[in-house]
Amino acid sequence: IASLKASANQFIEDDHYASKQIDEKINQVLNRWRDLKQALIDKRSKLGESQTLQQFSRDADEIENWISEKVQMAMEESYKDPANIQSKHQKHQAFEAELAANADRIQSVLSNANNLIGNRRCAGSEDAVQKRLESITEQWELLTQKTTEKSMKLKEANKQRTYVAAVKDLDFWLGEIESLLTSEDAGRDLTTVQNLIKKHQLIEDDIQAHADRIQDMNNQADSLIESGQFDSPNIQEKRQSINERYERIKNLAAHRQSRLNEANTLHQFFRDIADEESWINEKKLLVSSDDYGRNLTGIQNLKKKHKRFESELASHEPTIQAVQEAGEKLMHVSNLSVPEIEKRLVALNAAWDDLKHLAAKRGQKLNESLTFQTFIAKIEEEEAWISENQKLLSVQDYGDTMAAVQGLIKKNDAFEIDFGTHQDRCVELCEEGSKLIVDNNHHSDQIRQRCNQLQEKSKTLLNLASYRKQKLIDNSDYLQFMWKADVVESWIADKETRVRTEEQGRDLSTVQTLLRKQETFDAGLHAFEHEGIQNITT
């Protein structure tokens, strides 16, 4: 056509003689060519509309079949069976994802239908296309509605599954707690009671910690009931049961806490009273000792210790009174082991009174021992003096000269004066000992024995002193006699020398002188015989 048109245009430009005919002919050909092309376009357009209509019809059939199938799936009430509800919910989520993935395709089909109707390309089937459009729209809305409803139901069923699981866990937990709280075990002693209190505190903490879980369970139940859950009566029944049991275990916990506190108070009292009894028994061993000291220093040390013990006893009395008051209060406020408490209190009072009695008795005996040892110290002092003087009096030295004898006699006279003083002291000591015996001093036997010993020793010393005094007197007399005898012998020896002389006188005068001397000698001899010899022999 283009070549023909070019040739025609060339002829016309070259002023061909038949230019007019050529121009008319080429225009005629070109018009018929345009008409042919328009007819082809119209034909293709109608074929395209028919194809689009057929394509829509096919897509609409597929969509309707697909929607019908999905509607059946969406209307299944699988949520009523709680088994594998999580898996069902996951499958439904996949189902919703599939619907969302196909939403564009459905919208595309609906949009094509609207275009066909709007552009009047339905080949006269606009009403049929419109009905198909409305039908697909209704089915799609139904599918999305049922899908949403099923999703809600599955979510509710999943919530119910969670609720049922929570109820099941709480039911199991409540069973365990009820079992623990209904236990009759209140402990055998303070240690076990305190361990039970610690365990109970953990239980109470656990109960308090479960308050949030109980609240969550109630919130879940409210949500399920408000949403019109198909199993609402059962949900309400389980919730009420759980709440009632929870309140019950709180009451049981309070009751058991009170009981354990009572048991703890009771066993604490028994522990305290056992400690006091142990303390009293320990102190009894001390005050029951028979050791009252062996000497004055030992007794003084024991008295200091006993004084500290009495102070400790006085300071400990408020503790005993506190335990007694606690026991009496416990008997008034509790019914637990009242006879045992009363029995233990009576035993404690008796033990305490016994301890105080023993302490007073030991204090008295220590005082008696102190008095006894002071008395014995005096006795021993006297006995030492007696022993010392016994040794002096037992010496066989009675003097070998008159001067020595006179010295010993003076010492003996001084001893006799001292001995008289000590005899008086011995008498006083024996009287003091007799008074201690009358006062029932627990050393009475020893006091009596030591008094007797002192009296015997004093008597022995007296005898020994008398014997020594006699010996000294005898020795003095003997020495005086010997001195006098020596004087006489000396005088006789002197006179014998004169008597034995051979001088007879040479003349009368000498003889007369010798006679006068002889007469003087005779007179002296006669006088000496009456004075010197008689002093020796009398």
Side-chain angles (χ1 to χ4, degrees), residues 71-82 85 88 146 149-150 153-154 157 230:
V71 167
Q72 290 181 0
M73 294 176 64
M75 294 179 70
E76 289 178 355
E77 295 182 343
S78 59
Y79 52 84
K80 290 186 176 182
D81 181 10
I85 193 68
K88 292 174 182 177
K146 293 299 179 181
E149 289 178 358
K150 186 174 182 180
K153 295 294 183 182
L154 285 170
F230 63 89

Side-chain angles (χ1 to χ4, degrees), residues 428-440:
E428 291 174 359
L429 286 174
C430 289
E431 289 175 353
E432 183 180 346
S434 298
K435 185 176 183 301
L436 292 176
I437 293 171
V438 171
D439 292 338
N440 294 320

